């Protein structure tokens, strides 16, 4: 089936992407290709050893390592890291890790305009977007700027193979959510739809193989391919109810990012399938069944968490969550109805199948 639309605007960022098991070893070459010679390597404290490997790979092209990347990109840490980059005279950053480390690289780029090389080790997809989420005084805000779009991405399956299986699954569903909401985005194009469909198919095919053998580099590579496609969709089109719900639950109730996406996705698909069954038909084609149940069953088969109550959500907070999620709503293909959203949250809290 063609994804032709009779009216669309498509815009793509200029990003250089290299793919392959072991491609991280080309990092020094990529630093030089950017015209740079003073790279600051970034990671979380947990991935400091990997950051050191990158410093070794860069040799004299590395001026330092900063290993304090933190979930939700706190502004105070970004300010400190940017000051560190300036003090060292860094002329580019190399961010090695998941969305938190990529976020730190973007925050430094936003403050200094330094170019970024990102080496993703999860499937979050942030490396492919011009979006930066930051937290300050307990509030998470996002901004979109060409300054934060990374210039180079190195997808190396050998690095993602250490991602624990539980995180592998939730991170994959996090990526799939970008593609799933991209299917009905108001500003979608045939290209974003093609990427969304291909990204979902890659996860459908490869995630079970990764679950069976987490060290399967071919399957890991295919899931990274899915992450790239899904992240690129996120970078090109607007998101809707699913991302609003996850943003609310993460921001106001401190629920973990990828797990929340993994639980909510089936429910958001069921909610919106009523309004746009044709646009969500690719989900049924790929996973089988109605869109909500198709994702619910796939997530269950992958042993993803299914209940908000299991990741720290209190039932007594569901009313407040429904209030917050329906305030300043993102555009959504089905009107945001508070009663229906409250019902959605109840089912997601209990881990029940979605309404449709
Ligand atoms: P994360 O980056 O916080 O990583 C979680 C933990 O896993 C960290 O301790 C990390 O060091 C570790 N880890 C990562 N990869 C590993 C690997 N291969 N092996 C072993 N350990 C590994 O988690 P995430 O889910 O990738 O990122 C979440 C953050 O990304 C959130 O703040 C979210 O808002 C942001 N995000 C932003 C965008 C965007 O476009 N701006 C898109 C998606 C996610």
């Amino acid at each position: 089936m063609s994804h032709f639309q009779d009216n669309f605007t498509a815009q793509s960022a200029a990003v250089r992407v290299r793919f392959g098991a072991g491609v991280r070893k080309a990092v020094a070459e990529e630093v030089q290709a950017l015209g740079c010679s003073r790279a600051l390597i970034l990671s979380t404290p947990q991935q400091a050893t990997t950051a050191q490997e990158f410093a070794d790979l860069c040799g004299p092209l590395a001026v330092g390592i900063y290993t304090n990347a933190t979930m939700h990109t706190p502004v105070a840490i970004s300010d400190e890291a940017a000051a560190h980059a300036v003090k060292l005279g860094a002329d580019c950053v190399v961010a090695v890790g998941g969305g938190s480390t990529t976020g730190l690289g973007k925050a430094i780029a936003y403050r200094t305009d330094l170019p970024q090389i990102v080496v993703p080790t999860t499937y979050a997809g942030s490396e492919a977007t011009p979006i930066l989420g930051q937290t300050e005084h307990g509030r998470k805000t996002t901004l979109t700027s060409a300054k934060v779009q990374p210039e180079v991405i190195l997808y190396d399956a050998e690095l993602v193979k250490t991602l624990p299986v539980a995180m592998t699954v939730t991170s994959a569903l996090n990526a799939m959510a970008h593609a799933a909401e991209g299917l009905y985005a108001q500003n979608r194009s045939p290209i974003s739809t093609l990427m969304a469909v291909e990204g979902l198919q890659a996860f459908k095919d490869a995630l079970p193989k990764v679950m069976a053998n987490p060290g399967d580099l071919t399957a890991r590579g295919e899931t990274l391919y899915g992450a790239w496609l899904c992240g690129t969709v996120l970078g090109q089109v607007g998101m809707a109810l699913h991302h609003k719900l996850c943003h609310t639950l993460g921001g106001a109730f401190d629920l973990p990012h990828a797990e929340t996406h993994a639980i909510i996705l089936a429910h958001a698909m069921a909610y919106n399938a009523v309004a746009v069954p044709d646009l969500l038909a690719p989900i049924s084609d790929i996973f089988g069944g109605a869109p909500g149940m198709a994702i619910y069953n796939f997530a269950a088969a992958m042993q993803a968490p299914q209940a908000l109550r299991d990741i720290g959500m209190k039932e007594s907070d569901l009313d407040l969550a429904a209030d917050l999620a329906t305030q300043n709503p993102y555009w959504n293909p089905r009107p945001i109805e508070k009663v229906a959203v409250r019902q959605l949250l109840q089912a997601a809290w209990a881990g029940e199948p979605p309404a449709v």
Side-chain angles (χ1 to χ4, degrees):
M1 191 193 91
S2 167
H3 297 296
F4 175 69
Q5 294 167 231
D6 54 13
N7 216 322
F8 63 87
T9 303
Q11 189 163 334
S12 304
V15 185
R16 175 174 163 87
V17 175
R18 284 184 69 172
F19 226 92
V23 76
R24 69 185 178 286
K25 291 173 190 145
V27 65
E29 204 182 291
E30 293 301 324
V31 169
Q32 283 175 314
L34 282 172
C36 297
S37 58
R38 299 183 63 79
L40 176 63
I41 319 292
L42 309 173
S43 76
T44 59
Q46 293 82 1
Q47 290 180 286
T49 311
T50 313
Q52 184 58 53
E53 185 195 345
F54 273 80
D56 295 344
L57 287 167
C58 287
L61 299 176
V63 289
I65 303 180
Y66 183 89
T67 59
N68 203 18
T70 305
M71 182 72 111
H72 304 312
T73 325
V75 165
I77 290 187
S78 301
D79 287 342
E80 178 190 282
H84 191 58
V86 170
K87 194 168 142 217
L88 291 172
D91 59 7
C92 67
V93 294
V94 176
V96 187
S100 298
T101 307
T102 306
L104 177 62
K106 288 174 156 184
I108 294 174
Y110 186 64
R111 287 160 174 76
T112 61
D113 226 355
L114 291 184
Q116 308 160 66
I117 298 175
V118 181
V119 191
T121 64
T122 71
Y123 307 122
S126 177
E127 67 280 359
T129 83
I131 306 162
L132 169 63
Q134 310 192 84
T135 41
E136 193 172 27
H137 310 307
R139 272 194 66 230
K140 185 159 184 172
T141 53
T142 56
L143 61 86
T144 300
S145 162
K147 266 189 183 181
V148 306
Q149 173 82 51
E151 283 75 6
V152 180
I153 312 173
L154 304 181
Y155 285 107
D156 187 334
E158 286 173 7
L159 290 178
V160 84
K161 119 185 142 173
T162 56
L163 191 64
V165 168
M167 276 183 65
T168 294
V169 171
T170 53
S171 191
L173 282 154
N174 181 191
M176 288 165 55
H178 311 327
E181 288 225 293
L183 291 173
Y184 49 57
Q186 257 183 322
N187 57 347
R188 69 187 182 279
S189 74
I191 297 294
S192 65
T193 300
L194 276 170
M195 289 192 291
V197 170
E198 177 77 352
L200 290 166
Q201 186 71 56
F203 279 113
K204 159 72 167 50
D205 293 344
L207 196 56
K209 293 181 199 159
V210 168
M211 294 295 288
N213 177 9
D216 178 340
L217 282 181
T218 305
R220 284 286 189 184
E222 193 171 353
T223 49
L224 272 180
Y225 169 60
W228 172 40
L229 293 166
C230 295
T232 305
V233 172
L234 175 66
Q236 291 193 359
V237 305
M239 295 288 116
L241 175 68
H242 171 83
H243 281 74
K244 172 72 180 185
L245 283 170
C246 294
H247 202 149
T248 302
L249 293 168
F253 305 100
D254 210 22
L255 298 194
H257 178 82
E259 288 88 335
T260 306
H261 275 271
I263 294 167
I264 293 293
L265 183 58
H267 299 275
M269 290 301 105
Y271 186 97
N272 282 336
V274 178
V276 283
D278 294 353
L279 297 179
L280 287 178
I283 294 196
S284 302
D285 295 345
I286 293 168
F287 296 94
M293 278 312 295
I295 297 290
Y296 185 83
N297 289 335
F298 180 70
M302 297 298 105
Q303 295 162 32
Q306 300 232 267
L308 293 176
R309 69 174 162 200
D310 293 341
I311 61 164
M313 184 76 192
K314 290 198 230 121
E315 189 172 21
S316 55
D317 280 336
L318 291 177
D319 285 338
L320 176 59
D323 282 345
L324 294 172
T326 51
Q327 283 166 13
N328 309 315
Y330 301 174
W331 175 87
N332 192 62
R334 174 178 162 189
I336 303 291
E337 296 151 14
K338 197 153 141 193
V339 173
V341 168
R342 177 65 180 79
Q343 284 167 352
L344 179 164
L345 286 170
Q346 187 70 38
W349 179 81
E352 289 162 3
V356 187

